[in-house]
Amino acid sequence: MSFLKKLFGKNEVKTEEVLVAPITGKVIPLEDVPDPVFAQKMMGDGIAIEPTEGTVVSPVNGEIIQFFPTKHAIGIKSETGVEILIHVGLETVGMKGEGFEGLVNVGDKVTVGTPLLTFDIELIKQKAKSIVTPVILTNGDILDTVQKHDVQDAFKGATALVDWKVKG
């Protein structure tokens, strides 16, 4: 690598990345999510978290590419091009945004730990099927390797949950 490339980082493409916990709570295997769309990985592979507090932070450096009008789900494109869906609770779309507050907008650049949204856990428990929150890598076809960490407890913005390397 030339001195100028090293100095200015030109032409360097990031191929590896780590997803940290977007929510504090108990980590559960995606296969154990009580919803067949997520459990059977129809939307992609990932993990799920049963939240113990109601704040979602960015699990990667990237850009907000989708924020559902009901504020229950958000999409982020990471620096390596991986698209991540964070879906707070199950069957929460029917809540029509009640109990959710968005803190970012589509197009916003975010870093690990940036607050994305808040939600009312108790209200979700009352009005939705579950508070379990799937975190899905929706474009897994670009991935060369995916390694899930063996952790039981997640701390938002801190606990490494998944490493990946994109095809190059």
Side-chain angles (χ1 to χ4, degrees):
M1 178 179 282
S2 76
F3 173 75
L4 290 177
K5 281 186 183 177
K6 205 180 273 188
L7 184 63
F8 296 108
K10 297 289 183 193
N11 299 325
E12 286 192 32
V13 177
K14 189 172 183 177
T15 60
E16 296 181 26
E17 208 163 15
V18 176
L19 179 133
V20 299
I23 300 174
T24 297
K26 180 182 176 214
V27 177
I28 61 174
L30 197 57
E31 297 81 6
D32 293 346
V33 171
D35 182 298
V37 172
F38 293 112
Q40 294 173 20
K41 303 179 183 178
M42 293 179 199
M43 297 183 74
D45 201 356
I47 54 95
I49 300 171
E50 186 171 343
T52 55
E53 62 179 50
T55 301
V56 176
V57 301
S58 182
V60 294
N61 296 333
E63 180 179 348
I64 304 301
I65 57 170
Q66 189 173 30
F67 205 167
F68 290 73
T70 52
K71 306 297 183 205
H72 76 285
I74 192 164
I76 306 165
K77 186 172 188 175
S78 77
E79 291 177 323
T80 59
V82 174
E83 296 174 2
I84 300 145
L85 172 69
I86 303 169
H87 191 284
V88 179
L90 302 175
E91 297 182 15
T92 46
V93 69
M95 294 175 65
K96 299 182 177 149
E98 182 185 5
F100 295 89
E101 181 183 354
L103 305 174
V104 293
N105 297 298
V106 171
D108 286 356
K109 303 285 189 212
V110 293
T111 57
V112 170
T114 300
L116 304 178
L117 67 101
T118 59
F119 59 95
D120 183 331
I121 291 177
E122 293 307 314
L123 191 62
I124 293 172
K125 285 180 181 178
Q126 292 171 19
K127 296 194 169 202
K129 181 178 179 179
S130 173
I131 63 168
V132 169
T133 299
V135 181
I136 307 297
L137 310 176
T138 60
N139 62 340
D141 56 316
I142 73 165
L143 297 173
D144 186 32
T145 61
V146 176
Q147 178 64 47
K148 295 178 189 177
H149 296 227
D150 185 20
V151 294
Q152 285 76 44
D153 297 307
F155 299 95
K156 72 176 183 274
T159 307
L161 298 177
V162 181
D163 296 344
W164 64 75
K165 183 174 183 179
V166 295
K167 295 175 183 173

